[in-house]
Amino acid sequence: MGQKPMRECRKIGCHILTRTTYCKKHREEKQRREAARQREYDTHKRDSAADAFYKSSAWQKARALSIASHYGLCQDCLVEGRFKRAEMVHHIKPLREYPELALVQSNLRPLCNKCHAKY
Ligand SMILES: [Zn+2]
Ligand SMILES: [Zn+2]
């Protein structure tokens, strides 16, 4: 019939006979582990890409320009009548989802750390 012979599942201690490397249960287990590893890897890749972005001179310039054009003030505090120094520049549309807007001034909002924590 040309069918592969049944063998024991490759998982140590599992004696279920299968025509694939692992029995159904251990095949699914392996797929779940690999998916989890892939997710972890993707997160790490994204984080290091963001890291590199925040260190880039293009970002340093865009950030400085944004702060300067808003008089160095936290924009959320300003709306509420408080004058507080901006401590960071927030991406209104998140960097992760809109990398093309990463350096667009209208997407940048200088904020103090306290206001930024609300986002
Ligand atoms: Zn098994
Ligand atoms: Zn603020």
Side-chain angles (χ1 to χ4, degrees):
M1 291 269 283
Q3 222 172 12
K4 281 187 177 174
M6 298 284 269
R7 283 179 198 280
E8 276 191 4
C9 167
R10 180 88 74 77
K11 176 90 179 175
I12 294 163
C14 178
H15 303 290
I16 294 172
L17 294 175
T18 172
R19 286 196 170 82
T20 54
T21 313
Y22 291 96
C23 69
K24 187 171 184 290
K25 175 173 159 233
H26 288 124
R27 195 163 60 236
E28 284 168 359
E29 202 174 82
K30 188 166 184 281
Q31 276 164 356
R32 269 199 305 277
R33 261 203 318 276
E34 270 166 14
R37 198 163 41 223
Q38 187 62 43
R39 269 196 306 277
E40 218 169 87
Y41 174 74
D42 287 347
T43 304
H44 177 76
K45 210 168 68 180
R46 256 201 318 265
D47 288 353
S48 48
D51 246 36
F53 169 75
Y54 286 118
K55 283 179 191 151
S56 70
S57 62
W59 167 245
Q60 297 299 330
K61 270 183 219 156
R63 182 186 187 283
L65 179 62
S66 174
I67 290 179
S69 59
H70 291 89
Y71 307 100
L73 294 173
C74 168
Q75 295 304 292
D76 282 13
C77 284
L78 195 60
V79 166
E80 291 172 22
R82 291 189 306 268
F83 292 89
K84 195 166 172 198
R85 191 171 58 85
E87 291 163 297
M88 55 82 60
V89 173
H90 169 62
H91 282 103
I92 298 166
K93 288 189 173 176
L95 177 62
R96 189 174 282 186
E97 289 156 54
Y98 299 88
E100 70 277 16
L101 301 178
L103 299 170
V104 175
Q105 286 296 314
S106 60
N107 190 42
L108 304 180
R109 189 168 172 84
L111 295 174
C112 69
N113 288 332
K114 199 173 161 205
C115 286
H116 186 245
K118 290 183 298 199
Y119 285 85

